[in-house]
Amino acid sequence: MENIIIDVSAVVAALALSYFVFWYRNHKIEIDSKRAKGDALAFVVDTLGQVATNVVYDLKDSSEKGAEKKEQAKVKIKNFYADAHLPAPTDAQVSGAIEKAVAIMKMSSEGEKNE
């Protein structure tokens, strides 16, 4: 009787394992594409500060003022990610990165004046 229970348990475990392997092979492409999208989004978030800093310094001497300059920076950042075929960050993320880059630029220019 004990052998039958062990044999039935082994068969059930083998069936469960084979079903998992079957399911994973059928969904592997979908899983890999979601993982790639997640990796791309993490890369976008990691590089947003650097991109915003470069754009802010590029627009530093332009003739636009305040909101116009910020809107132009948003467009440039969104275009950068579109050209790179990466997911675009949200408007809130872009605005925050621009404001942080402007604050850093102002602090560094004040530091240069004080020296």
Side-chain angles (χ1 to χ4, degrees):
M1 186 69 172
E2 292 176 18
N3 289 340
I4 294 174
I5 294 173
I6 293 173
D7 291 342
V8 169
S9 300
V11 169
V12 169
L15 286 173
L17 179 66
S18 63
Y19 177 76
F20 174 75
V21 170
F22 170 78
W23 180 88
Y24 180 77
R25 289 190 65 202
N26 285 339
H27 292 85
K28 184 172 179 6
I29 294 171
E30 182 181 338
I31 292 167
D32 289 345
S33 66
K34 285 183 180 180
R35 182 180 303 130
K37 285 181 185 176
D39 291 345
L41 188 59
F43 177 75
V44 166
V45 171
D46 286 345
T47 61
L48 182 57
Q50 296 169 347
V51 173
T53 300
N54 291 338
V55 169
V56 165
Y57 275 97
D58 286 345
L59 295 175
K60 181 180 179 181
D61 297 326
S62 70
S63 61
E64 288 88 14
K65 297 288 182 192
E68 297 165 353
K69 198 180 279 190
K70 186 175 184 180
E71 198 59 39
Q72 189 177 5
K74 280 183 181 180
V75 169
K76 283 188 170 208
I77 291 170
K78 296 267 184 167
N79 287 341
F80 171 81
Y81 285 110
D83 291 344
H85 302 290
L86 291 169
T90 65
D91 287 338
Q93 289 173 322
V94 172
S95 291
I98 291 170
E99 290 172 11
K100 186 184 266 188
V102 168
I104 291 170
M105 182 181 67
K106 287 180 179 179
M107 284 192 308
S108 68
S109 66
E110 287 175 7
E112 290 173 3
K113 289 179 185 177
N114 291 337
E115 289 179 358

